[in-house]
Amino acid sequence: MDHYSRKMHKFFTLLDADGDDVLTLADFTAAANRAATAFGWSPASDESIAIRQSYTALWQEVYAPMDLDGDAGLDFHEYLTAHRKTILGLPDGYQRVQPVAQAFLQLADTDGDGVLTRAEYVTTMNSAFGLPEEDGEHAFDQLDAANAGALSFGEVHRAVEGYFCSEDPAAYGSALLGRI
Ligand SMILES: [Ca+2]
Ligand SMILES: [Ca+2]
Ligand SMILES: [Ca+2]
């Protein structure tokens, strides 16, 4: 697999919460519930309802349209084909994947100061996307290039764009999810 395919496969695997190699709405519901549990929210709380809505929207707006054969499941081939065709290298490609960054930022800045500390980044990547903490630590080291100890929202958007919209292994954001 080339670098871009490996990056996409890594995120596909994280999204596939039940591990059956197909993305469906059920994976996004499971991921929302996993994150709510990690944050200590009760299932009926406003926070839990909001995160389920946000993950459902993520499925409906970003991923369901990539289901080319209409079987309500997205396999890796469909996922990769769609990313290459509609996200990679198109001028407005980032617009299609931006909701992923928004869903993450909405959860991650837990103290609301407008930047993400290492702990906020690592913990939220773990609870929101199931990213192992050592991958989160590696990612933060790479993304915090200036050693500021925190990432701005702009840096996170730029990193997500570099991850999904570039084939260059040296692009900023290549290490968004740790080592590839
Ligand atoms: Ca699945
Ligand atoms: Ca399909
Ligand atoms: Ca913060």
Side-chain angles (χ1 to χ4, degrees):
M1 257 197 243
D2 60 47
H3 179 75
Y4 188 74
S5 301
R6 281 187 284 130
K7 282 195 296 189
M8 294 310 105
H9 192 259
K10 180 150 193 174
F11 193 57
F12 181 91
T13 305
L14 293 179
L15 291 175
D16 183 20
D18 62 10
D20 67 351
D21 292 330
V22 182
L23 300 185
T24 63
L25 175 59
D27 290 308
F28 290 77
T29 307
N33 290 338
R34 179 192 60 205
T37 303
F39 283 107
W41 300 332
S42 75
S45 63
D46 289 349
E47 291 92 341
S48 287
I49 291 165
I51 193 176
R52 278 197 297 273
Q53 282 171 345
S54 137
Y55 275 62
T56 300
L58 204 54
W59 164 253
Q60 286 170 345
E61 289 163 21
V62 180
Y63 296 106
M66 299 178 181
D67 174 26
L68 297 177
D69 64 4
D71 67 350
L74 191 63
D75 62 32
F76 182 63
H77 176 72
E78 289 173 318
Y79 172 93
L80 183 60
T81 303
H83 277 71
R84 285 197 181 282
K85 218 161 81 179
T86 64
I87 295 171
L88 178 65
L90 290 192
D92 66 343
Y94 183 60
Q95 294 309 314
R96 295 164 202 270
V97 78
Q98 195 192 26
V100 176
Q102 275 163 350
F104 174 69
L105 286 171
Q106 194 186 343
L107 292 170
D109 184 19
T110 46
D111 64 2
D113 69 348
V115 296
L116 302 191
T117 61
R118 175 184 294 269
E120 287 175 329
Y121 187 88
V122 173
T123 305
T124 308
M125 272 294 181
N126 182 260
S127 47
F129 295 116
L131 185 72
E133 287 185 4
E134 64 173 70
D135 276 330
E137 296 278 357
H138 177 79
F140 190 89
D141 287 339
Q142 300 298 311
L143 298 184
D144 184 21
N147 243 331
L151 302 174
S152 68
F153 284 18
E155 282 176 312
V156 172
H157 278 293
R158 207 151 58 75
V160 174
E161 181 170 12
Y163 192 87
F164 289 101
C165 305
S166 171
E167 289 180 291
D168 181 2
Y172 181 75
S174 242
L176 180 73
L177 303 175
R179 287 190 178 82
I180 296 302

